[in-house]
Amino acid sequence: MAITPIVIGNWKMHGLTTSLDEISRLLALVQSGHAPAADIMICPPATLLERAHGLLQHTAVALGAQDCHPAPSGAHTGDISAEMLADAGASAVIVGHSERRIDHGETDALVAAKAAAAHRARLTAIICIGESEQERNDGATLQILKRQLQGSVPQEATAANTVIAYEPVWAIGSGRTPTSAEVTEIHGFVRRTLASRLREGEGDSMRILYGGSVKPANAATLLRLPDVNGALVGGASLKAQDFYDILATYAENRVA
Ligand code: PGA
């Protein structure tokens, strides 16, 4: 079954009003070049969502957010609900990024509740998983990923409303990436785990992204591996040209 890949830019805590120019540049690149055979999404900080929505609506670039609270509303100072993100124009939200798991002590159960909240608000949940350097050195990678998949992905998740992002914590922002053999083994493992956990057919067609130091120079290698259905891109998504060069992997390798 052909799975349409998706390349998602995660701006993290970067971006002021002036950064909206990068979104305009990206749109100009996407509109001028060969249309990549991939879905495209940018996840700016929450403060820019509405203005980014103004630029992106009715274009080929979708808008996502970076986190949500599990409740629809309530006394949770500083938090933002999935419904609010949808109201601001987002169609997706990242949940369980390792920076939130580490900085805010987010557990698998909380991540699953956030993913369910995203679904309730009709947002696509982009659920992140990944092992730490210590866990990798201990040979515990697959065990950790299995636990995260079982704990963070709601059982009723579908290929239409959920994307999985495998992001080894040690590869994020470090310039290091796993070998092609490691990515192939791990994505195959994630695919099989999803297929056995979710409703018939959903795990087979759910998109599994690789994330962690994806750059224009390594995108072609990483994105062509089996069961890699796109990328979650941090640093290299901040510059429209770099992000577009990553996307161009799919323009050059258009699959019929
Ligand atoms: P990076 O971040 O591309 O800067 O390594 C990826 C991510 O954390 O989503």
Side-chain angles (χ1 to χ4, degrees):
M1 181 192 324
I3 299 180
T4 304
I6 183 166
V7 180
I8 302 176
N10 170 16
W11 281 15
K12 310 191 179 187
M13 199 172 72
H14 296 286
L16 301 173
T17 309
T18 51
S19 316
L20 294 168
D21 292 349
E22 290 301 321
I23 292 185
S24 302
R25 267 182 215 120
L26 175 66
L27 279 175
L29 286 166
V30 167
Q31 282 156 6
S32 70
H34 295 289
D39 292 337
I40 312 167
M41 184 184 291
I42 291 287
C43 301
T47 47
L48 293 182
L49 281 175
E50 266 200 88
R51 274 171 292 181
H53 176 59
L55 293 171
L56 294 177
Q57 61 183 332
H58 313 307
T59 73
V61 181
L63 181 67
Q66 299 178 14
D67 179 49
C68 67
H69 190 279
S73 60
H76 303 289
T77 304
D79 278 315
I80 303 177
S81 71
E83 283 75 3
M84 292 168 176
L85 298 174
D87 187 47
S91 60
V93 60
I94 299 169
V95 295
H97 190 284
S98 62
E99 286 152 14
R100 294 209 58 89
R101 290 179 187 260
I102 294 165
D103 293 356
H104 300 274
E106 294 194 2
T107 61
D108 287 330
L110 180 60
V111 176
K114 290 183 174 202
H119 296 156
R120 183 189 64 220
R122 298 183 184 283
L123 298 179
T124 299
I126 302 155
I127 305 177
C128 302
I129 57 170
E131 82 286 0
S132 68
E133 179 129 56
Q134 185 65 52
E135 289 159 347
R136 169 181 159 89
N137 292 343
D138 291 346
T141 298
L142 299 185
Q143 185 191 322
I144 293 296
L145 297 179
K146 187 169 189 182
R147 191 209 76 209
Q148 290 177 334
L149 287 169
Q150 284 174 343
S152 313
V153 182
Q155 214 141 14
E156 58 284 357
T158 67
N161 69 16
T162 304
V163 171
I164 304 296
Y166 166 59
E167 299 204 305
V169 178
W170 52 271
I172 294 176
S174 67
R176 296 159 59 206
T177 55
T179 64
S180 294
E182 286 169 329
V183 173
T184 301
E185 183 200 355
I186 289 168
H187 278 241
F189 175 79
V190 172
R191 172 73 65 215
R192 290 191 298 280
T193 307
L194 290 171
S196 69
R197 174 172 166 73
L198 302 177
R199 280 199 303 254
E200 177 82 36
E202 301 298 341
D204 297 316
S205 47
M206 190 170 282
R207 292 188 278 200
I208 305 173
L209 313 187
Y210 170 77
S213 294
V214 176
K215 309 282 177 217
N218 62 20
T221 305
L222 289 163
L223 299 185
R224 279 179 209 158
L225 296 171
D227 281 316
V228 176
N229 312 118
L232 182 54
V233 184
S237 72
L238 295 172
K239 287 272 166 268
Q241 186 67 54
D242 288 348
F243 190 62
Y244 182 74
D245 288 345
I246 292 170
L247 273 168
T249 307
Y250 290 111
E252 289 158 14
N253 298 287
R254 215 181 166 111
V255 208

